[in-house]
Amino acid sequence: MPKFSLLILPGDGIGPEVMTEVRRVIDWFIDKRNLGFDIIEDLVGGAAYDIYGTPLHDTTLAQAKAVDAVLLGAVGGPKYDDLDFDVKPERGLLRLRKELDLFANLRPAQCFDALSDFSSLKRDVVSGLDLLIVRELTSGVYFGEPRGIFTEGNERVGINTQRYTESEIERVAKAAFELAMQRNCRLCSMEKANVMESGVLWREVVTRVGADFPEVDLSHMYADAGAMQLTRQPKQFDVIVTDNLFGDLLSDLAAMLTGSLGMLPSASLGAPMDNGRPRALYEPVHGSAPDIAGQGLSNPMACILSFAMALRYSFKLDHEANRLEMAVQSVLADGLRTADLLGEDGTDSVSTAAMGDAILAQLNLSL
């Protein structure tokens, strides 16, 4: 069995406590499944600023470039609100994404049967939902130039530029098609080709790339219509590929279809390294939740499921990824809930560590 290298960055807020449960899961795979992991742990975000004076130290970045995958908890908190923009905790995460050239953000939206009543939509609309949004992550309106706030005449104007090159669209489209091939061979590309030239180019390039994947059923949809269809009939979609701005909006919308932001993992993938594996960063979608940090109330499942994504996409261990995902589903089916899944009072909820115990118990049953 090959040995995999993993950089763990717990970060801020609830990041360290959910990552503690992930470390227990990793230890289980080492002990019970004979998987080999070389693990390095370092700091990012506010925790890094407190020690290094920067949200991402150069040595940490060098480690991130050298390992097979990075697993991150969360960054940020009110303690750091008054810092200069360039050293805010979130800049550490953004620098990681940029320096590793992580151009494809994968956001699954899966509605576990045990949680289907948590969605604001009807059970029959969301039960069994399992879709994947592939968002371009390193270009588009968030990075285009010119940008800024300028004075024109007697008033100020804010400018952001939507900009995409063919190669930027091509590589994220190829990634989306490859992912669709691993699922149900259906891909919907979303843009605004009716009013944006960048959307016209996006549709042309995605269509061209699609010629190399004749097995995949490719469709196109305007992003605003896509938002409507996600709330009307979300199970019509399997894989969605879209740009940075629309992906930001649509993935958050899809996340709430599941009823619980605290359950959702994510992956950000880049170009293949020398070993053929993509550079990759895995992180839960939830934030640092500083208001509950250190109280044992946090839900570790999104971070654990992010590790499951690492097993699948970085380490090519689909069977083990399925094993871990099934353990999470079984725990939910048994009725265990952390406070975020039981409303404001959290009555009858289990602690972060108790949820970790339950998942480990289910993993033992899978042997």
Side-chain angles (χ1 to χ4, degrees):
M1 178 67 68
K3 180 166 283 193
F4 306 108
S5 56
L6 183 64
L7 173 62
I8 290 181
L9 302 172
D12 309 320
I14 64 172
E17 56 200 272
V18 297
M19 196 63 75
T20 295
E21 303 311 312
V22 178
R23 289 296 299 263
R24 296 174 66 198
V25 168
I26 295 172
D27 288 343
W28 185 91
F29 278 98
I30 292 172
D31 295 339
K32 305 294 187 181
R33 301 298 296 162
N34 199 32
L35 298 186
F37 289 99
D38 282 331
I39 297 175
I40 307 167
E41 187 165 323
D42 209 334
L43 305 174
V44 71
Y49 177 83
D50 289 341
I51 301 299
Y52 302 132
T54 176
L56 182 69
H57 196 276
D58 289 344
T59 57
T60 310
L61 177 60
Q63 290 172 338
K65 290 181 176 180
V67 297
D68 293 319
V70 179
L71 185 61
L72 187 144
V75 296
K79 175 182 176 181
Y80 308 103
D81 285 349
D82 294 332
L83 292 179
D84 290 341
F85 181 77
D86 290 341
V87 292
K88 284 184 177 293
E90 294 78 9
R91 303 306 295 177
L93 174 57
L94 293 176
R95 186 184 177 203
L96 268 174
R97 290 173 176 171
K98 190 67 175 178
E99 293 284 348
L100 297 180
D101 198 18
L102 304 176
F103 60 84
N105 179 238
L106 280 54
R107 286 274 296 269
Q110 183 177 6
C111 187
F112 297 99
D113 285 342
L115 299 179
S116 56
D117 287 330
F118 281 71
S119 175
S120 57
L121 299 183
K122 295 178 181 178
R123 170 183 275 270
D124 63 318
V125 174
V126 296
S127 181
L129 176 67
D130 183 8
L131 65 86
L132 178 66
I133 294 182
V134 182
R135 166 191 172 189
E136 200 288 321
L137 199 60
T138 59
S139 190
V141 74
Y142 293 162
F143 295 95
E145 297 288 347
R147 61 180 296 155
I149 299 175
F150 306 94
T151 299
E152 291 184 359
N154 60 355
E155 65 178 348
R156 296 192 301 163
V157 56
I159 296 175
N160 290 92
T161 302
Q162 169 80 337
R163 182 182 185 275
Y164 270 106
T165 65
E166 287 183 282
S167 60
E168 289 170 338
I169 301 170
E170 184 175 289
R171 66 180 184 174
V172 73
K174 182 180 178 184
F177 275 105
E178 290 173 346
L179 289 163
M181 289 285 291
Q182 299 171 30
R183 292 171 54 96
N184 297 311
C185 288
R186 289 186 289 116
L187 176 65
C188 182
S189 175
M190 295 188 183
E191 25 63 12
K192 286 288 288 180
N194 55 335
V195 293
M196 298 173 67
E197 285 79 3
S198 60
V200 173
L201 180 63
W202 184 280
R203 183 173 292 208
E204 290 177 355
V205 173
V206 172
T207 302
R208 186 177 72 229
V209 174
D212 296 329
F213 297 88
E215 305 91 340
V216 176
D217 179 16
L218 172 65
S219 60
H220 301 273
M221 192 174 290
Y222 297 142
D224 51 347
M228 183 269 289
Q229 289 294 333
L230 275 169
T231 57
R232 174 180 175 271
Q233 192 182 352
K235 286 185 282 188
Q236 68 182 283
F237 300 108
D238 181 36
V239 180
I240 295 170
V241 63
T242 189
D243 74 11
N244 205 341
L245 175 60
F246 296 140
D248 195 356
L249 302 174
L250 293 171
S251 59
D252 277 5
L253 186 157
M256 290 316 300
L257 298 179
T258 70
S260 176
L261 197 64
M263 287 295 303
L264 299 177
S266 76
S268 298
L269 306 181
M273 299 180 287
D274 291 341
N275 60 14
R277 302 189 188 108
R279 293 195 184 279
L281 169 71
Y282 300 90
E283 58 179 317
V285 171
H286 63 67
S288 61
D291 57 319
I292 62 168
Q295 301 177 44
L297 299 175
S298 57
N299 184 347
M301 286 188 279
C303 204
I304 289 171
L305 290 170
S306 294
F307 176 65
M309 292 187 78
L311 289 172
R312 174 168 287 113
Y313 295 117
S314 282
F315 308 138
K316 309 303 180 186
L317 297 171
D318 284 358
H319 182 72
E320 304 300 346
N322 291 336
R323 182 190 300 273
L324 182 52
E325 290 165 350
M326 286 302 298
V328 170
Q329 291 188 47
S330 296
V331 166
L332 292 172
D334 287 344
L336 271 73
R337 303 286 187 268
T338 44
D340 61 303
L341 300 177
L342 286 172
E344 293 182 2
D345 60 1
T347 304
D348 298 326
S349 64
V350 301
S351 68
T352 307
M355 185 60 80
D357 290 340
I359 291 171
L360 291 171
Q362 286 294 333
L363 286 172
N364 284 326
L365 290 175
S366 72
L367 292 173

